[in-house]
């Protein structure tokens, strides 16, 4: 891998959620090749791991608890609620 960006690979792993990312990072640190990264060489996988480590450092040792909205309307309501409560 020379010219391809690692960004799509990092995003694919991050989309699985915080706890899965932490587990994937543990596996990567042990040398396991994740299915999402099978097309990358060792150097690129190390770059993905480094990027994941940087991203996850924001969360410290925990993972935020986020419950997805069950519908577009509920998501809209939650957005309006957050907007009202953060603008005070």
């Amino acid at each position: 891998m020379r010219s391809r960006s690692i960004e799509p690979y990092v995003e694919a792993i991050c989309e699985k959620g915080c706890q899965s990312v932490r587990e994937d990072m543990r596996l990567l640190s042990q040398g396991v090749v994740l299915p999402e990264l099978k097309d990358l060489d060792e150097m690129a996988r190390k770059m993905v791991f480094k990027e994941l480590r940087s991203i996850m450092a924001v969360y410290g040792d925990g993972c935020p608890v986020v419950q997805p909205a069950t519908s577009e309307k509920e998501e809209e309501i939650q957005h309006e609620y957050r907007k009202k409560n953060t603008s005070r």
Side-chain angles (χ1 to χ4, degrees):
M1 182 189 121
R2 289 188 178 163
S3 62
R4 285 195 288 177
S5 169
I6 63 166
E7 186 176 325
Y9 298 95
V10 172
E11 287 178 9
I13 292 173
C14 288
E15 285 178 0
K16 298 186 327 184
C18 184
Q19 292 176 336
S20 292
V21 172
R22 291 198 189 281
E23 177 62 16
D24 286 351
M25 288 174 61
R26 185 185 68 76
L27 293 171
L28 285 169
S29 72
Q30 296 174 353
V32 174
V33 177
L34 302 174
E36 295 89 350
L37 306 181
K38 69 179 189 249
D39 296 337
L40 301 179
D41 61 24
E42 185 178 351
M43 179 63 78
R45 287 192 299 269
K46 286 180 180 182
M47 290 170 55
V48 169
F49 178 76
K50 184 177 178 181
E51 183 66 19
L52 292 172
R53 193 172 53 208
S54 295
I55 291 168
M56 296 307 287
V58 173
Y59 299 109
D61 291 334
C63 288
V65 178
V66 178
Q67 295 181 350
T70 57
S71 69
E72 284 184 40
K73 184 65 177 169
E74 185 176 332
E75 189 173 321
E76 183 180 320
I77 291 168
Q78 289 177 359
H79 175 72
E80 288 300 317
Y81 176 79
R82 285 191 297 270
K83 194 165 113 179
K84 287 178 186 175
N85 287 312
T86 58
S87 64
R88 292 181 184 171

